[in-house]
Amino acid sequence: MPSLNWIGKEAVVKHHKDVPFRLLEPMADLSCGPAQGKDSGNLIVQGDNLHALKALLPRYAGKVKCIYIDPPYNTGNEGWVYNDNVNSPEILKWLGEVVGKEGETLDRHDRWLSMMYPRLVLLKQFLDEDGVIFVSIDDDEVHHLRSLMDELFGTRRRLATFVWRTDGNFDNQAKIKNCHEYVLAYANNPDLFPHPSVVDPSIGKESKLNRLHIQNTIVKNGPKNPVSSIELPAGFPASIDAGVIRARSNQWPHYATDVNIVDGKLATPVTVSSGWSSKSILQNFIDSNFESVLDSKGQRTRFVVTGTGAIESVKDREQASHVITVIGGVGSTQSQSSALAEMGFAFPFPKPVDLVRYLVSMIQGNDFIVLDSFAGSGTTAHAVLKLNAEDGGNRRFILVEMDDNISRNVTRERIKRVAEGYSNAKNQAVEGLGGGFQFCSLSAEPLFNADGQIRSDVKFAQLAEFVWFAETGTGFTGTADSPLLGVHEGRAIYLLYNGILKDKSVGGGNVLTGPVFDVLPKFAGSKVIYAAANRMGARTAREGIVFKQTPYALEV
């Protein structure tokens, strides 16, 4: 397969291995939620994303089902916060250290590729066996990015190149106006995306796409069969929740008067005007005792009356038969900038929440981790909390933001307000979506000191994650309260360190001796034991033990 080459590639192909492991250091005063957010499963990490990803691997390798990143587009414009032609001091420093003198004269595309390559290598290691990665990009680097991802993930794992209609995001001075961007999608196992066809009980036949919550995004430009008015009988399901899903925009409002809602139903008949759907569909809905009805395209439609009297048709998203590669109607950077301004933030070119929400909604289930290592204003976390509020899901987010000021005062603060609620610029109360997060920084010093020894302040639970990752290549999900960390592929993995057996003497808890082995939790099969030294001699082999000395066996 052809591969992409650029100046500096040789210096970065294996650079991810040279990045030192650091520890995540929770900052309780910047966290959000009960017990400083640590129980929410959500993380915001401040630090260079290359170092942050390396620090997160021992905990989350192979555990992430969805990755979304919005890296710098490398347009050559230096006027925005991330310095879009990759000339930021952090990136230049990194290029100087890794690529060397050659990095000073690299073309901006060379620099961009040198920055992206090791980060994508690490991101790949986070994906679950059915995980998917989405990467936003525009015309400047889409060809390079696709070649890079084909090389790292393989062309067989390429799902699609989505085209996002950016709803007017273009240069008005340009003679050729570009009003779209791209989202590249790759999957570890494309056969699981879309998932195999299943019989959908709601329609009584096989559905082409086992996605119970996907909604195609292309929006029609107006109602085909406007309805002047129709009477909704007493007992019609109604709601005072203004946050219902709309089939189209607010371009055609629908009003009723004297709405009296009791226990979620109209107490008296109400006459409403509507431009959402044909009168026959609405009448069929009423005649079917308010069950959802099929329209001419096979989509199921139901209707909701809000507390203001507006009638809104809701397309049941479980009937989506396919995912379309053109994404529209999910907002723009301008609309998201305005929404952030209403929250009290000024942030240029943020991705709209509904774009990320739509991408994440393609992932099967509602209990998984979503990772974003170019977090910016925190749109990905907002989208995750919004989806959870809609369907009661338990999706968790992990965000990484390099800039200390942005991570503290924009990313963190925005998600805190989204979770807990806030008052907008008009002094209107906006209800929180729930959730919390733990805010972490990266340790100033790596896990190993300059002599290659484990730092003296590293706790057992922290080292346990690295031992498990070194041995299995997967993230550690145990409790780290026992020298037996767990069993992987038929072998038990033990760690003797930092007084886990309440004995730090030479013949005690950190050294494998006969008496120490005798008090370890029992396992009948093969055993891998990490310890400072081994004093068991020939008994090691008789007991089925593979001994690995710390810290030398931990150079993962």
Side-chain angles (χ1 to χ4, degrees), residues 15-34:
H15 175 60
H16 63 284
K17 296 183 178 180
D18 298 327
V19 176
F21 282 100
R22 298 181 185 275
L23 299 176
L24 298 174
E25 297 184 340
M27 304 178 72
D29 58 325
L30 295 177
S31 299
C32 170

Side-chain angles (χ1 to χ4, degrees), residues 246-434:
R246 290 174 170 78
R248 299 191 179 99
S249 68
N250 288 326
Q251 187 171 353
W252 306 283
H254 320 292
Y255 299 102
T257 58
D258 301 324
V259 178
N260 186 10
I261 299 174
V262 178
D263 295 330
K265 296 180 180 179
L266 294 179
T268 56
V270 172
T271 298
V272 299
S273 62
S274 175
W276 289 101
S277 299
S278 69
K279 184 173 182 177
S280 62
I281 291 179
L282 183 52
Q283 190 62 58
N284 286 343
F285 178 65
I286 296 171
D287 294 343
S288 68
N289 195 29
F290 315 129
E291 296 294 332
S292 59
V293 295
L294 288 171
D295 62 16
S296 60
K297 296 183 178 179
Q299 289 183 305
R300 290 188 175 270
T301 305
R302 53 192 173 87
F303 297 82
V304 175
V305 179
T306 71
T308 61
I311 178 174
E312 296 168 345
S313 69
V314 181
K315 297 294 183 182
D316 282 353
R317 295 181 287 175
E318 61 265 26
Q319 304 309 319
S321 61
H322 56 274
V323 174
I324 53 179
T325 57
V326 178
I327 301 173
V330 293
S332 65
T333 58
Q334 287 100 326
S335 64
Q336 189 60 60
S337 290
S338 298
L340 288 180
E342 285 289 309
M343 295 180 68
F345 303 107
F347 195 88
F349 309 118
K351 286 297 183 290
V353 171
D354 282 342
L355 170 64
V356 181
R357 172 181 166 276
Y358 176 65
L359 296 172
V360 176
S361 77
M362 294 183 192
I363 307 302
Q364 180 76 357
N366 61 8
D367 186 0
F368 54 84
I369 297 171
V370 181
L371 169 62
D372 182 351
S373 57
F374 291 87
S377 68
T379 291
T380 296
H382 193 159
V384 167
L385 294 180
K386 186 174 182 180
L387 271 173
N388 285 344
E390 290 172 359
D391 64 10
N394 187 39
R395 303 170 187 85
R396 282 88 65 206
F397 61 78
I398 302 173
L399 304 186
V400 180
E401 171 51 43
M402 176 187 293
D403 188 283
D404 184 53
N405 178 57
I406 293 173
S407 66
R408 291 169 180 256
N409 300 318
V410 180
T411 317
R412 168 198 167 274
E413 187 60 32
R414 173 189 180 180
I415 304 311
K416 183 176 186 292
R417 296 181 192 181
V418 168
E420 297 181 342
Y422 61 97
S423 295
N424 63 20
K426 299 177 182 178
N427 205 31
Q428 298 168 322
V430 178
E431 187 176 354
L433 298 178

Side-chain angles (χ1 to χ4, degrees), residues 143-309:
H143 49 302
H144 290 145
L145 178 63
R146 184 158 39 220
S147 296
L148 188 59
M149 296 190 72
D150 280 350
E151 179 178 334
L152 293 175
F153 290 85
T155 55
R156 190 186 68 81
R157 291 188 174 91
R158 188 200 306 158
L159 290 175
T161 298
F162 291 97
V163 176
W164 169 41
R165 301 192 319 186
T166 53
D167 295 337
N169 284 11
F170 50 74
D171 182 1
N172 285 323
Q173 305 303 315
K175 293 182 178 180
I176 300 177
K177 301 187 186 300
N178 191 345
C179 59
H180 68 272
E181 294 179 10
Y182 306 95
V183 180
L184 272 57
Y186 287 71
N188 259 351
N189 192 338
D191 293 337
L192 299 178
F193 187 97
H195 283 248
S197 298
V198 296
V199 174
D200 187 338
S202 65
I203 58 177
K205 63 180 181 180
E206 190 176 79
S207 170
K208 294 180 182 178
L209 181 65
N210 185 18
R211 289 272 184 273
L212 299 183
H213 50 292
I214 283 189
Q215 179 184 32
N216 292 334
T217 63
I218 293 298
V219 180
K220 305 292 184 183
N221 291 320
K224 291 183 178 179
N225 302 299
V227 179
S228 56
S229 65
I230 193 168
E231 183 178 273
L232 302 179
F236 188 94
S239 170
I240 60 173
D241 180 9
V244 297
I245 306 162
R246 290 174 170 78
R248 299 191 179 99
S249 68
N250 288 326
Q251 187 171 353
W252 306 283
H254 320 292
Y255 299 102
T257 58
D258 301 324
V259 178
N260 186 10
I261 299 174
V262 178
D263 295 330
K265 296 180 180 179
L266 294 179
T268 56
V270 172
T271 298
V272 299
S273 62
S274 175
W276 289 101
S277 299
S278 69
K279 184 173 182 177
S280 62
I281 291 179
L282 183 52
Q283 190 62 58
N284 286 343
F285 178 65
I286 296 171
D287 294 343
S288 68
N289 195 29
F290 315 129
E291 296 294 332
S292 59
V293 295
L294 288 171
D295 62 16
S296 60
K297 296 183 178 179
Q299 289 183 305
R300 290 188 175 270
T301 305
R302 53 192 173 87
F303 297 82
V304 175
V305 179
T306 71
T308 61

